[in-house]
């Protein structure tokens, strides 16, 4: 069983690294967290954001897709995936993801 305070610290450091645009460090810390904790949607989401900032749409798509698979109740994950699909010209998939996000949080329809 991993030390939860150490794991929490690793994840917080990963977010701090992301905010500081230290993307290689963000990836490294996320990988440590995944190794210690196993698959966690928020970690994959952060990896997706990192890949997006690094202009790697394929990797961002993979990570956001994994986030939605692990936690299908979070509209943020679906909206992020919709953005990637839209950027890649996958219109039908983008619409489906936006619909999932709106179904989970109707206030998104107003945005």
């Amino acid at each position: 069983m991993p030390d939860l305070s150490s794991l929490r610290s690793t994840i917080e450091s990963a977010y701090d690294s992301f905010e500081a645009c230290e993307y290689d460090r963000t990836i490294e810390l996320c990988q440590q967290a995944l190794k210690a904790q196993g698959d966690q949607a928020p970690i994959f989401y952060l990896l997706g954001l990192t890949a997006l900032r690094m202009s790697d749409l394929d990797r961002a798509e993979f990570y956001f897709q994994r986030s939605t698979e692990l936690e299908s109740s979070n509209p943020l994950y679906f909206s992020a995936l919709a953005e990637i699909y839209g950027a890649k010209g996958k219109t039908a998939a983008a619409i489906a993801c936006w619909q999932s996000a709106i179904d989970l949080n109707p206030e998104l329809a107003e945005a």
Side-chain angles (χ1 to χ4, degrees):
M1 178 120 185
D3 174 11
L4 292 181
S5 71
S6 175
L7 181 60
R8 187 174 301 116
S9 176
T10 299
I11 294 169
E12 288 174 5
S13 293
Y15 274 97
D16 290 344
S17 294
F18 176 79
E19 290 298 323
C21 300
E22 298 171 354
Y23 303 128
D24 290 336
R25 180 74 178 142
T26 303
I27 293 167
E28 177 185 328
L29 291 167
C30 286
Q31 289 172 340
Q32 288 176 18
L34 289 171
K35 185 176 180 180
Q37 184 66 26
D39 289 356
Q40 297 291 315
I43 298 169
F44 280 105
Y45 177 72
L46 180 55
L47 284 167
L49 292 175
T50 303
L52 183 58
R53 289 262 181 100
M54 296 174 78
S55 300
D56 188 341
L57 295 182
D58 291 334
R59 189 162 286 182
E61 178 182 349
F62 171 80
Y63 289 134
F64 291 146
Q65 178 65 43
R66 191 70 183 118
S67 294
T68 64
E69 292 167 358
L70 291 168
E71 193 176 316
S72 61
S73 62
N74 191 323
L76 184 62
Y77 302 156
F78 284 98
S79 63
L81 186 57
E83 292 290 334
I84 294 299
Y85 284 149
K88 293 178 81 175
K90 297 179 177 182
T91 306
I95 291 169
C97 283
W98 274 120
Q99 188 60 56
S100 294
I102 291 167
D103 289 346
L104 292 167
N105 182 357
E107 292 179 11
L108 290 174
E110 298 171 12

